[in-house]
Amino acid sequence: SKRRFFYSRVMPRGSDQVYIVEQKLSLLRAIDLTPPQDPLVLPWSLDDIAPLKALVGQYEDFALAKTRVILSPTHRREHRRWPKNHFSVLADYLSRNWSATVTWLWGPGEEAFIDEIQESCEEPTIKAPKTSIKEMAALIANHDVFVGNSNGPSHVAVATNICSLQLHGHTIGASWCPANDRHQYIQSPMNRENLEFCMPFITVP
């Protein structure tokens, strides 16, 4: 990396087709340690469930839902966001065809963005309360499926081990998703050089 000159011992860069957590842990071999095989877990406790309790208390549909899906449409870089209208169409599809309760996840400075998507939905959806990282983990863990851009919440979803689907444009999905039975990604078919055009090429179907 660009910081290599700070180090007295430099390890070869791993393949960009390897999940980054495995890639980083593999560096332990340089000091004769075997990388752990267990997935990374973001722990949360009963101290972190206040936003979840608020959701259950406010929305009976959420408490009784057969399927709960949490959607994360935000990213600080616009070219790494799946189009807003795609997310609203997906939310309506999940509500109608899965009988799912759909929750929108957001972070600081993103609430207005979520409001805009939610207003464009034809079916009712739920906006998550404000959360800390651990509160977000507790909230995500009490859903059945996560769908979102390759962002911080997508990695929290992996670390809580609910089923997750990441959406990737120019970024390489294999680098950011463990790609197993519980965690999958969709890679845009568009050329990685055209950053602003990649994400729309992931269609709703």
Side-chain angles (χ1 to χ4, degrees), residues 110-168:
E110 298 172 341
E111 190 171 6
F113 183 85
I114 293 298
D115 289 342
E116 187 178 340
I117 299 177
Q118 191 175 23
E119 288 171 7
S120 69
C121 292
E122 296 178 2
E123 301 294 331
T125 59
I126 297 170
K127 182 171 66 176
K130 182 179 179 180
T131 63
S132 67
I133 290 292
K134 285 196 170 185
E135 288 171 341
M136 183 198 303
L139 188 64
I140 291 174
N142 281 276
H143 284 75
D144 299 292
V145 181
F146 170 97
V147 181
N149 302 317
S150 178
N151 53 19
S154 74
H155 306 309
V156 173
V158 170
T160 61
N161 206 33
I162 74 160
C163 293
S164 69
L165 177 66
Q166 295 178 16
L167 307 175
H168 288 264

Side-chain angles (χ1 to χ4, degrees), residues 25-113:
L25 288 174
S26 71
L27 297 175
L28 293 171
R29 293 193 177 96
I31 53 174
D32 299 321
L33 293 176
T34 302
Q37 299 301 310
D38 295 333
L40 294 181
V41 175
L42 178 59
W44 55 274
S45 69
L46 292 178
D47 294 333
D48 306 310
I49 65 170
L52 175 63
K53 287 177 69 176
L55 217 58
V56 171
Q58 186 175 356
Y59 298 99
E60 184 179 6
D61 288 349
F62 180 85
L64 302 176
K66 178 182 177 182
T67 304
R68 300 186 189 108
V69 180
I70 190 160
L71 302 180
S72 180
T74 63
H75 197 286
R76 60 193 174 93
R77 295 188 177 95
E78 185 176 357
H79 63 263
R80 294 181 65 173
R81 295 181 205 139
W82 201 39
K84 289 184 283 190
N85 62 308
H86 285 24
F87 268 107
S88 59
V89 171
L90 175 62
D92 287 337
Y93 177 90
L94 292 169
S95 297
R96 293 166 182 163
N97 295 278
W98 282 24
S99 300
T101 295
V102 175
T103 307
W104 299 102
L105 197 58
W106 56 280
E110 298 172 341
E111 190 171 6
F113 183 85

